[in-house]
């Protein structure tokens, strides 16, 4: 009897210890696992960039009326329509889901119809769509517009997120141990969190979404032209402020390599092109550029900020700013007399859901608390839409450097967790694209022809409780940033 009791007592100790060891081991592996393809976290060589074009979507108030200047998806439609060889369309949010009481342009259907029409009119053009599983609510549904693409003989590749590193490790450790095999898929009939106009989903789809992983890229390639954007073909995002850069030349081939990697590891597929090469290798330009993905974006952003000198201006336009090394570098730059001018979203609106200002409100407070007047912050004045760019511009007397694309300046976007794509450009300060971006920032900073931004004091939140929540989320990594 005593022997039996002794065995049970030890079992009660051993089981929790084994659980903790397996849980911790799962977390460590999930955070450090190898990336699923060698061409992720990619940095191309610097190459001449042909016809770099800056595009913007702007929402602002003018004469007490809300105005919307939209360029990006108009340009994308032209790229699709003019394609003679192939189209690659890789977009994070590509759906028509939102709260039924709201009303948005049918952007997802518009873009899918554009691709279908192109395929029907020019069957020889190879079209491939890559998107994030959030649009299927992690296999719970398959939206009509994606099914229409498939029916039109356009491959739709759903990005594999399971093999990416874990960005919410405390939760993902539990998920990997108990839920990743769909153990709760039978629990259905749950409301779609993306919008009340969507189909019901399963408990498994909710649990999967909490991992916080994403193919966050926004890339279009059509024949010899590429476009890297911050904007999504998502109905509820149709009025967001966004930026994009289109370009031609050999750098397009590097962009295609990064997309081929996702198609290959996600679905063991290739991106079919009739003639994948773009311009000859002896092309010349006064603008040079790189394709950067994942953590290579982080490295480039830090190098740009760290090399800024007194007399230079750092312009930043962002939806989210929270990554610690970036924030520290901005403080150091301002304190060595670099002019740092930052435009941030207020983080109070997300597809009809109210937010409390995280992460930008406490980060803005911290930045200003550690610097003098060399660092200034303005809030974008939004009305339901978001200020959604991810744009860094180092403006010097002898050069202009630009970093633009899908990556917010957060841990999740910059540390090999999400899939991200940016383009880096180096140009003369009077190059057309440098002038266009400089004009863009000056316009919205000074409210030239409308109301775009407000000063820091107008929308600040320096409350201790908000800073405490931010600190806890940073430490636990249980956040969207």
């Amino acid at each position: 009897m005593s022997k039996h009791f002794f065995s049970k007592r030890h079992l009660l100790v051993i089981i929790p210890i084994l659980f903790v060891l397996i849980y911790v081991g799962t977390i460590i592996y999930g955070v450090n696992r190898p990336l699923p393809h060698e061409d992720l976290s990619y940095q191309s060589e610097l190459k001449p960039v042909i016809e770099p074009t800056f595009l913007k979507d702007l929402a602002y108030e003018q004469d007490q009326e809300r105005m919307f200047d939209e360029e990006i998806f108009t340009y994308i439609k032209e790229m699709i329509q003019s394609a003679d060889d192939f189209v690659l369309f890789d977009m994070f949010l590509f759906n028509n889901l939102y709260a039924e009481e709201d009303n948005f342009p049918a952007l997802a259907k518009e873009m899918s119809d554009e691709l279908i029409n192109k395929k029907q009119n020019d069957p020889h053009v190879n079209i491939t769509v890559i998107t994030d599983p959030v649009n299927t609510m992690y296999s719970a549904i398959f939206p009509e517009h994606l099914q229409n693409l498939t029916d039109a003989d356009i491959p739709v590749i759903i990005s594999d997120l399971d093999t990416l590193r874990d960005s919410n490790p405390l939760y993902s450790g539990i998920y990997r141990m108990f839920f990743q095999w769909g153990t709760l898929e039978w629990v259905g009939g749950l409301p779609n969190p993306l919008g009340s106009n969507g189909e019901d989903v399963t408990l498994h789809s909710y649990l999967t979404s909490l991992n916080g992983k994403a193919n966050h890229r926004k890339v279009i390639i059509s024949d010899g032209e590429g476009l890297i954007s911050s904007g999504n073909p998502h109905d509820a995002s149709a009025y967001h402020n966004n930026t994009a850069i289109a370009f031609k030349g050999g750098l397009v081939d590097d962009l295609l390599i990064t997309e081929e990697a996702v198609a290959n590891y996600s679905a063991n597929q290739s991106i079919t092109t009739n003639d994948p090469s773009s311009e000859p290798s002896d092309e010349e330009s006064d603008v040079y550029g790189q394709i950067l993905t994942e953590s290579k974006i982080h490295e480039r952003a830090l190098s740009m900020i760290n090399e800024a000198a007194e007399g230079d201006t750092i312009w930043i336009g962002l939806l989210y700013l929270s990554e610690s090394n970036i924030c520290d570098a901005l403080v150091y730059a301002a304190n060595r007399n670099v002019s740092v001018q930052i435009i941030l979203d207020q983080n109070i609106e997300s597809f009809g859901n109210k937010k409390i200002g995280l992460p930008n409100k406490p980060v803005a407070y911290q930045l200003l608390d550690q610097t003098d007047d060399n660092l200034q912050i303005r809030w974008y004045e939004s009305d339901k839409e978001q200020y959604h760019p991810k744009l860094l511009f180092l403006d010097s007397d002898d050069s202009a450097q630009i970093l633009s694309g899908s990556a917010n300046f957060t841990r999740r976007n910059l540390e090999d967790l999400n899939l991200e794509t940016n383009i880096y450009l180096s140009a003369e300060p009077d190059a057309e694209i440098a002038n266009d971006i400089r004009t863009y920032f000056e316009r919205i900073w000074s409210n030239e022809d409308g109301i775009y931004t407000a000063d820091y004091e107008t929308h600040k939140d320096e409350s201790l409780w908000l800073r405490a929540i931010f600190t806890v989320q940073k430490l636990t990594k249980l956040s969207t940033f």
Side-chain angles (χ1 to χ4, degrees):
M1 187 70 176
S2 61
K3 184 177 180 181
H4 179 67
F5 175 79
F6 179 82
S7 298
K8 288 177 64 177
R9 185 181 63 185
H10 280 75
L11 199 61
L12 290 174
V13 174
I14 291 170
I15 289 176
I17 292 174
L18 284 175
F19 172 82
V20 170
L21 289 174
I22 294 170
Y23 177 55
V24 171
T26 302
I27 288 175
I28 292 172
Y29 178 72
V31 170
N32 297 285
R33 67 187 303 162
L35 293 175
H37 196 282
E38 62 181 2
D39 289 326
L40 299 182
S41 202
Y42 178 90
Q43 174 179 299
S44 75
E45 296 180 1
L46 273 171
K47 294 182 179 180
V49 180
I50 310 302
E51 298 178 29
T53 303
F54 178 67
L55 302 163
K56 61 192 179 299
D57 291 344
L58 277 174
Y60 58 99
E61 185 177 316
Q62 186 180 72
D63 299 326
Q64 298 184 324
E65 182 180 354
R66 201 70 184 161
M67 308 295 292
F68 299 95
D69 297 344
E70 299 171 342
E71 298 177 353
I72 295 173
F73 283 98
T74 299
Y75 195 99
I76 289 172
K77 285 191 282 187
E78 293 172 356
M79 289 177 65
I80 295 169
Q81 291 166 1
S82 63
D84 292 321
D85 179 10
F86 78 103
V87 176
L88 181 283
F89 188 90
D90 183 355
M91 287 284 169
F92 167 51
L93 287 177
F94 186 18
N95 66 69
N96 61 354
L97 303 180
Y98 50 84
E100 289 176 290
E101 62 268 20
D102 293 329
N103 186 33
F104 295 102
L107 186 55
K109 184 178 187 302
E110 182 181 336
M111 295 312 303
S112 56
D113 286 350
E114 196 72 49
L115 293 166
I116 291 168
N117 290 338
K118 181 63 181 181
K119 188 65 176 179
Q120 291 174 341
N121 294 331
D122 297 299
H124 67 282
V125 174
N126 295 297
I127 302 176
T128 303
V129 171
I130 302 176
T131 196
D132 187 88
V134 69
N135 300 296
T136 68
M137 262 314 289
Y138 308 96
S139 302
I141 60 175
F142 199 73
E144 182 180 4
H145 68 287
L146 296 184
Q147 186 61 55
N148 290 341
L149 289 165
T150 301
D151 293 343
D153 198 27
I154 296 174
V156 176
I157 297 172
I158 305 299
S159 307
D160 174 15
L161 305 183
D162 289 342
T163 52
L164 297 179
R165 293 171 180 167
D166 293 338
S167 57
N168 279 347
L170 294 180
Y171 170 76
S172 293
I174 296 294
Y175 176 85
R176 288 188 183 279
M177 291 171 66
F178 297 108
F179 304 128
Q180 66 175 318
W181 301 282
T183 50
L184 294 174
E185 280 185 335
W186 58 273
V187 181
L190 301 179
N192 195 314
L194 298 179
S196 56
N197 67 341
E199 299 175 55
D200 289 347
V201 298
T202 65
L203 180 56
H204 176 70
S205 61
Y206 271 80
L207 294 171
T208 304
S209 70
L210 294 176
N211 287 298
K213 300 183 180 185
N215 173 2
H216 197 243
R217 297 179 177 185
K218 305 101 167 53
V219 169
I220 307 292
I221 309 174
S222 172
D223 296 354
E225 184 170 18
L227 182 146
I228 300 174
S229 175
S230 70
N232 296 293
H234 171 227
D235 291 12
S237 302
Y239 294 132
H240 285 3
N241 298 270
N242 281 295
T243 59
I245 292 177
F247 58 98
K248 298 177 181 177
L251 204 61
V252 177
D253 294 340
D254 295 290
L255 184 58
L256 186 60
I257 288 171
T258 66
E259 291 301 310
E260 182 84 18
V262 179
N264 184 262
Y265 94 81
S266 294
N268 197 28
Q269 293 186 30
S270 297
I271 298 170
T272 306
T273 65
N274 296 320
D275 181 10
S277 63
S278 26
E279 298 294 324
S281 59
D282 61 351
E283 60 203 355
E284 295 183 2
S285 173
D286 59 353
V287 179
Y288 278 72
Q290 280 180 314
I291 299 299
L292 303 163
T293 71
E294 291 76 63
S295 64
K296 301 303 182 186
I297 302 168
H298 191 196
E299 294 173 12
R300 175 56 74 179
L302 283 173
S303 71
M304 290 172 64
I305 296 168
N306 288 334
E307 72 180 64
E310 183 173 355
D312 294 346
T313 300
I314 294 173
W315 289 98
I316 291 177
L318 283 173
L319 173 67
Y320 290 138
L321 172 61
S322 66
E323 201 281 322
S324 297
N325 293 316
I326 295 284
C327 292
D328 289 345
L330 291 171
V331 169
Y332 297 149
N335 289 337
R336 62 176 183 269
N337 296 321
V338 176
S339 175
V340 180
Q341 298 183 259
I342 304 173
I343 299 170
L344 294 175
D345 184 76
Q346 297 177 51
N347 296 162
I348 57 173
E349 179 77 25
S350 179
F351 312 124
N353 299 313
K354 296 300 179 184
K355 298 179 62 180
I356 61 174
L358 292 171
N360 288 350
K361 295 290 179 76
V363 168
Y365 167 76
Q366 291 175 4
L367 290 174
L368 291 171
D369 188 54
Q370 298 176 72
T371 57
D372 54 22
D373 292 340
N374 286 326
L375 190 147
Q376 299 178 61
I377 293 173
R378 292 183 68 83
W379 305 108
Y380 203 89
E381 291 279 27
S382 55
D383 179 19
K384 292 190 176 180
E385 75 281 344
Q386 294 177 335
Y387 183 67
H388 201 255
K390 302 88 169 60
L391 182 60
L392 168 62
F393 176 40
L394 174 55
D395 195 9
S396 306
D397 288 340
D398 57 354
S399 69
Q401 298 181 56
I402 301 152
L403 184 65
S404 178
S406 71
N408 293 298
F409 285 3
T410 75
R411 171 190 63 90
R412 181 167 295 183
N413 300 98
L414 296 175
E415 293 187 6
D416 285 336
L417 300 171
N418 279 357
L419 299 179
E420 305 283 355
T421 303
N422 276 36
I423 185 170
Y424 165 76
L425 299 176
S426 177
E428 295 296 320
D430 59 349
E432 182 177 357
I433 192 162
N435 287 331
D436 287 346
I437 293 175
R438 189 180 298 113
T439 299
Y440 164 81
F441 274 117
E442 291 173 348
R443 174 185 177 185
I444 62 179
W445 187 270
S446 60
N447 293 320
E448 282 183 10
D449 55 355
I451 299 174
Y452 301 91
T453 59
D455 61 29
Y456 171 77
E457 295 293 327
T458 303
H459 300 297
K460 71 177 182 180
D461 187 339
E462 300 179 348
S463 59
L464 181 60
W465 74 271
L466 190 66
R467 283 182 278 152
I469 292 172
F470 173 72
T471 300
V472 169
Q473 288 186 322
K474 287 271 285 186
L475 290 173
T476 63
K477 298 178 172 55
L478 295 172
S479 70
T480 58
F481 51 84

